[in-house]
């Protein structure tokens, strides 16, 4: 296969980049390691299949993030504000829960009907199916005279190689350096810098409890909870306007301590919800858990160290030397303003597509100059 542009990763960044290229009529292909699109965007139902419960990113903030609301409108999706009416529960200790009637502060965050994966579904619907190769994990990038050879493993199927003039990689830099072979190798300083960039969400785990009805609202509670005890450290109302009644939470137990302990954490999480919201929390219809730290297509061993603050993204070096202009980083960790957010995924994709266009034009000019030089040399020999 030969294409002008190969995109690695069919998460939000990769699909948005593909959409931008599709709109311009560019020749491209998307290689995705997983059997599904979405990357760290994952929305499930009570049965574990596609549903409305966000196990990855869930919120965006229109007041400060312009791309997300614009894309939601363009795709014809519906959004609604995060519920925060009612009291907030604060767990100071296992025996002390404090009810704050002021409730959670309104921060202007929005959610998408049907779960954030509705973004992925809608973007994928705009891209021809043959352009997205799922289940193809990129294993090597090799320099060729006119571009890059992209090698991908298809698991039980045959491996493939495609040649592209330019590669847009939306993988987190840390995962890229540790899962893909480079020929020629990346310089040691660049590899070190990219490995040091934390992968957003990679150390996180989320827990969702689904109920028959939102009993906490009946008690004048917002569903917001914070805890110094755990295992849940931050809890939110996850209901929607289609009848879903759920609480979603971030698990505060460090990644290493979670290994092999999810069943125990589930029981502890339900016991904590009972302490915070009452006995009705004892009997969820279903519980969902997603530990991103053990997902090999997201996290590496370096991500076992939890993040306690939002990293400064977009400051790592671009590919130098022989890779400059041919390999472009386009994932949310590469966004200079909104890195780590869904807005950052869109920002990075826009920048990557613009850089690919600029690099493509430069290459075409260079090839045109070389062809003209050779024609001139031939004319000179002819005379």
């Amino acid at each position: 296969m030969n294409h002008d542009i190969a995109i690695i990763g069919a998460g939000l960044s990769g699909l948005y980049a593909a959409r931008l290229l599709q709109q311009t009529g560019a020749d491209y292909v998307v290689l995705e390691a997983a059997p599904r699109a979405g990357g760290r965007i994952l929305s499930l139902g009570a049965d574990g299949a596609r549903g409305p419960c966000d196990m990855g990113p869930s919120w965006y903030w229109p007041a400060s993030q312009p791309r997300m609301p614009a894309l939601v409108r363009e795709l014809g999706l519906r959004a609604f504000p995060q519920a925060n009416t009612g009291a907030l529960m604060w767990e100071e200790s296992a025996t002390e829960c404090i009810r704050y009637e002021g409730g959670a502060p309104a921060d202007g965050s929005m959610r998408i009907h049907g779960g954030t994966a509705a973004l992925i579904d809608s973007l994928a619907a705009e891209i021809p199916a043959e352009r997205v190769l799922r289940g193809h994990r990129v294993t090597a990038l090799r320099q060729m005279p006119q571009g890059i050879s992209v090698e991908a493993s298809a698991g039980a199927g045959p491996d493939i190689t495609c040649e592209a003039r330019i590669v847009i990689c939306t993988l987190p830099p840390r995962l890229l350096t540790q899962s893909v072979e480079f020929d020629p190798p990346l310089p040691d300083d660049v590899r070190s810098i990219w490995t040091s960039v934390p992968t957003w969400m990679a150390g996180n785990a989320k827990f969702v409890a689904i109920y028959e009805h939102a009993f906490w609202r009946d008690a004048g509670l917002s569903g917001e909870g914070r805890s110094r005890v755990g295992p849940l450290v931050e809890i939110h109302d996850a209901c929607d306007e289609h009848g879903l009644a759920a609480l979603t939470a971030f698990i505060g137990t460090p990644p290493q301590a979670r290994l092999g302990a999810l069943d125990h954490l589930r029981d502890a999480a339900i016991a904590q919800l009972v302490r915070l919201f009452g006995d009705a929390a004892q009997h969820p219809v279903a519980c969902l858990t997603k530990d991103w730290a053990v997902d090999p297509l997201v996290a590496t061993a370096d991500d076992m160290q939890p993040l306690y603050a939002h990293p400064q993204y977009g400051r790592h070096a671009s590919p130098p030397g022989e890779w400059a202009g041919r390999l472009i980083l386009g994932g949310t960790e590469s966004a200079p303003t909104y890195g780590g957010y869904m807005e950052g995924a869109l920002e990075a994709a826009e920048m990557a597509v613009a850089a690919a266009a600029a690099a493509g034009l430069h290459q075409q000019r260079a090839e045109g100059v070389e062809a003209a030089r050779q024609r001139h040399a031939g004319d000179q020999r002819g005379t």
Side-chain angles (χ1 to χ4, degrees):
M1 298 186 299
N2 296 315
H3 297 277
D4 286 340
I5 300 174
I7 301 171
I8 303 176
L12 180 55
S13 294
L15 291 180
Y16 188 59
R19 180 181 191 251
L20 296 175
L21 293 171
Q22 181 71 24
Q23 291 173 342
T24 64
D27 175 35
Y28 68 93
V29 66
V30 183
L31 300 166
E32 168 55 50
R36 67 172 183 89
R40 285 165 278 179
I41 291 180
L42 175 65
S43 302
L44 302 177
D47 58 357
R50 169 73 175 87
C53 299
D54 292 322
M55 309 308 296
S58 187
W59 301 279
Y60 67 94
W61 291 262
S64 60
Q65 299 177 354
R67 296 173 182 83
M68 278 293 295
L71 181 60
V72 168
R73 289 192 299 269
E74 289 173 19
L75 295 176
L77 301 175
R78 292 178 57 210
F80 61 100
Q82 170 65 37
N84 68 340
T85 302
L88 177 147
M89 296 300 297
W90 173 267
E91 188 175 40
E92 185 67 27
S93 70
T95 59
E96 183 182 9
C97 292
I98 304 170
R99 176 173 173 145
Y100 287 98
E101 294 297 342
D107 66 352
S109 59
M110 300 290 287
R111 292 168 51 208
I112 297 173
H113 279 290
T116 310
L119 270 179
I120 301 301
D121 298 340
S122 297
L123 285 171
E126 293 192 355
I127 301 168
E130 66 271 13
R131 293 282 186 180
V132 182
L133 303 182
R134 305 185 188 192
H136 288 75
R137 181 175 63 86
V138 172
T139 57
L141 298 175
R142 305 188 190 281
Q143 290 274 4
M144 303 288 287
Q146 300 299 324
I148 297 176
S149 173
V150 183
E151 299 176 7
S153 171
D159 295 348
I160 66 166
T161 298
C162 78
E163 294 183 9
R165 296 163 63 92
I166 295 170
V167 171
I168 296 175
C169 181
T170 67
L171 300 184
R174 176 177 286 172
L175 185 65
L176 173 62
T177 58
Q178 297 188 30
S179 63
V180 176
E181 177 188 356
F182 285 82
D183 180 17
L186 288 174
D188 289 342
D189 58 338
V190 173
R191 179 175 289 275
S192 177
I193 291 172
W194 287 4
T195 301
S196 71
V197 177
T199 298
W200 189 243
M201 287 293 299
N204 287 357
K206 288 186 78 172
F207 172 84
V208 175
I210 303 173
Y211 294 94
E212 290 185 353
H213 75 282
F215 58 86
W216 55 93
R217 293 184 174 184
D218 299 337
L221 298 173
S222 64
E224 292 276 336
R226 303 292 184 271
S227 176
R228 293 184 184 275
V229 181
L232 310 178
V233 293
E234 181 182 328
I235 305 163
H236 302 274
D237 183 304
C239 300
D240 65 14
E241 296 181 7
H242 297 298
L244 172 71
L247 293 167
T248 185
F250 291 92
I251 298 174
T253 307
Q256 286 285 2
R258 296 197 301 259
L259 295 177
L262 284 184
D263 288 342
H264 170 73
L265 287 173
R266 175 188 178 279
D267 295 340
I270 294 174
Q272 182 183 3
L273 293 179
V274 170
R275 295 196 301 268
L276 289 167
F277 302 112
D279 291 339
Q282 182 68 50
H283 304 291
V285 173
C287 292
L288 304 170
T289 306
K290 174 61 179 179
D291 190 344
W292 293 99
V294 296
D295 189 327
L297 299 181
V298 172
T300 70
D302 292 326
D303 296 303
M304 285 294 171
Q305 297 298 321
L307 296 178
Y308 296 105
H310 199 99
Q312 292 293 318
Y313 285 128
R315 298 184 178 183
H316 49 276
S318 298
E322 295 167 285
W323 293 100
R326 292 188 171 188
L327 174 63
I328 301 168
L329 301 188
T332 187
E333 286 82 8
S334 302
T337 306
Y338 300 101
Y341 295 100
M342 290 187 287
E343 180 78 7
L346 304 183
E347 177 188 17
E350 287 181 355
M351 295 177 63
V353 169
L361 289 173
H362 175 76
Q363 288 182 359
Q364 290 173 11
R365 291 193 189 102
E367 290 167 5
V369 169
E370 177 61 18
R373 187 194 66 78
Q374 292 180 1
R375 287 195 301 271
H376 177 72
D379 293 343
Q380 290 294 99
R381 288 193 297 272
T383 58

